Amino acid sequence: MDSAADKRVNGMQVCRAEYRAIGRFVEQLRPTRQCMKTLQTQFPHLPPSTLLSIFSQEYQKRMKRSMGRHHAPDVVKAYYQRYRSEAKTRPTAPLLLELANQVDLSPALLARLIVECFLEEREASVPASRHILNNMLREPYSIPDLLLAKHVEQCTVNDCCYGPLVDCIKHAIGLEHEDLLRDKLRERSLSFLDENQLRVKGYDKTPDIILEVPIAVDGHIVHWIESKASFGDDHSHRTYLNEQFWSYCNRFGPGLVIYWYGFVSELDCQRDRGILLRDGFPSDIVTLCQGPAQSRV
């Protein structure tokens, strides 16, 4: 058996064997605050943000595998009838959270199904519009049933992987890391164009940053930088390669991808083809005309 020292890689990177071990461990967990404490106890050498990103991605895969079963009309009807029945006898209990845990479904996704059933019951002849449904999930107390509103809010607040609150947090974190990347580039007096500037110039699909003067990192030329506020696992990285990174290489030359919450170390294997991976902004930058760029942080 490999020792812990063999499995661990520097910083926020983990080898594929350890990632699979984490994946097996999270299969038993639910998307609650307690699950993150359990993960941090089990894998104390990894930052909480890295563990949350890994858990979120693995949990979403699990939900996608089971989505067909949970969305079967008879199953959805059974969930709704069970909720309605228990709401009469145990109105103060966290009914939807309990049900989500029992059937292994994201609380926020279960809440969506229940609200959809509620709206269909109220307006049998008019299917609920996606706009109305989304608004009620974002603002539960707009639901014309205060008890259901309370239970939906519980689901939204206690789900760390799905729901409108999580979507807002992820969006904010993504923007925060893009700002961090721009700040790091300015600190080193590196000239660049960001995604907004490139869009104004007519580019439709671009990396977050294109360097006006290329740099070298680890001896590899870098023309562009992409910021990912997530952990880079096999599935997500393969998707990004096919949908983004190879296209960027073909159009702009070799580049750098920063997975701010770490990545599977074996994925950094495309350097000769133009894609370098890092888990933070590199300190060993060399500019083509000035030599090593000194860090001022």
Side-chain angles (χ1 to χ4, degrees):
M1 180 179 293
D2 293 335
S3 68
D6 291 331
K7 289 182 178 179
R8 188 175 170 186
V9 180
N10 291 335
M12 293 181 289
Q13 299 174 37
V14 297
C15 68
R16 191 170 278 122
E18 184 176 17
Y19 185 85
R20 288 170 179 163
I22 298 172
R24 288 191 295 270
F25 185 80
V26 302
E27 278 290 328
Q28 62 184 302
L29 301 179
R30 302 293 186 266
T32 64
R33 293 188 182 92
Q34 183 57 45
C35 88
M36 293 313 303
K37 294 179 182 177
T38 303
L39 271 175
Q40 289 168 38
T41 301
Q42 187 72 16
F43 304 98
H45 60 284
L46 291 173
S49 56
T50 295
L51 289 172
L52 176 58
S53 185
I54 291 174
F55 174 76
S56 179
Q57 290 168 193
E58 288 298 309
Y59 187 75
Q60 287 173 23
K61 293 175 194 173
R62 194 161 101 209
M63 289 300 97
K64 287 177 182 177
R65 291 195 298 268
S66 65
M67 202 61 73
R69 170 168 59 86
H70 291 299
H71 277 73
D74 57 330
V75 173
V76 174
K77 184 177 179 180
Y79 291 164
Y80 184 63
Q81 289 177 342
R82 178 174 168 180
Y83 166 74
R84 284 314 234 178
S85 174
E86 295 192 3
K88 295 175 183 177
T89 58
R90 299 193 301 133
T92 60
L95 301 175
L96 290 183
L97 285 174
E98 291 176 357
L99 179 56
N101 185 56
Q102 290 166 13
V103 303
D104 192 15
L105 178 60
S106 151
L109 294 182
L110 176 63
R112 186 179 188 88
L113 293 177
I114 298 301
V115 172
E116 197 166 11
C117 286
F118 168 76
L119 292 173
E120 289 174 357
E121 184 179 68
R122 281 174 55 89
E123 304 289 345
S125 60
V126 183
S129 73
R130 183 180 297 272
H131 176 72
I132 292 174
L133 178 60
N134 288 340
N135 279 346
M136 288 186 174
L137 294 170
R138 279 193 295 267
E139 301 177 19
Y141 285 95
S142 65
I143 299 172
D145 180 322
L146 291 182
L147 185 58
L148 177 57
K150 174 186 174 182
H151 290 142
V152 169
E153 183 182 49
Q154 287 177 338
C155 289
T156 299
V157 170
N158 287 282
D159 194 325
C160 65
C161 294
Y162 284 96
L165 180 59
V166 171
D167 291 341
C168 288
I169 292 172
K170 285 183 176 179
H171 181 68
I173 290 174
L175 294 178
E176 179 184 357
H177 283 83
E178 289 176 14
D179 286 342
L180 174 61
L181 174 57
R182 285 191 287 265
D183 288 343
K184 293 291 186 182
L185 291 166
R186 293 187 186 105
E187 285 174 7
R188 289 157 176 78
S189 301
L190 297 173
S191 181
F192 63 90
L193 296 173
D194 63 22
E195 196 173 18
N196 293 326
Q197 293 169 311
L198 292 166
R199 192 174 294 115
V200 170
K201 288 177 173 289
Y203 290 92
D204 55 348
K205 190 175 182 181
T206 69
D208 293 316
I209 296 293
I210 289 182
L211 297 164
E212 294 191 296
V213 178
I215 60 175
V217 177
D218 263 359
H220 294 267
I221 300 300
V222 170
H223 290 266
W224 54 268
I225 305 175
E226 179 73 6
S227 169
K228 297 295 183 188
S230 62
F231 184 89
D233 65 358
D234 282 273
H235 175 75
S236 61
H237 185 65
R238 183 169 56 250
T239 301
Y240 288 138
L241 280 172
N242 294 330
E243 295 183 358
Q244 297 180 345
F245 302 159
W246 292 135
S247 173
Y248 298 161
C249 280
N250 291 335
R251 296 174 66 189
F252 307 111
L256 167 68
V257 177
I258 301 177
Y259 284 112
W260 294 99
Y261 296 148
F263 57 89
V264 172
S265 56
E266 288 90 340
L267 294 176
D268 191 16
C269 61
Q270 306 285 358
R271 294 185 173 198
D272 291 343
R273 299 182 63 187
I275 296 176
L276 173 67
L277 303 187
R278 283 295 183 93
D279 58 12
F281 192 85
S283 59
D284 53 343
I285 290 175
V286 175
T287 60
L288 297 187
C289 55
Q290 298 173 333
Q294 299 298 317
S295 172
R296 292 197 286 269
V297 293

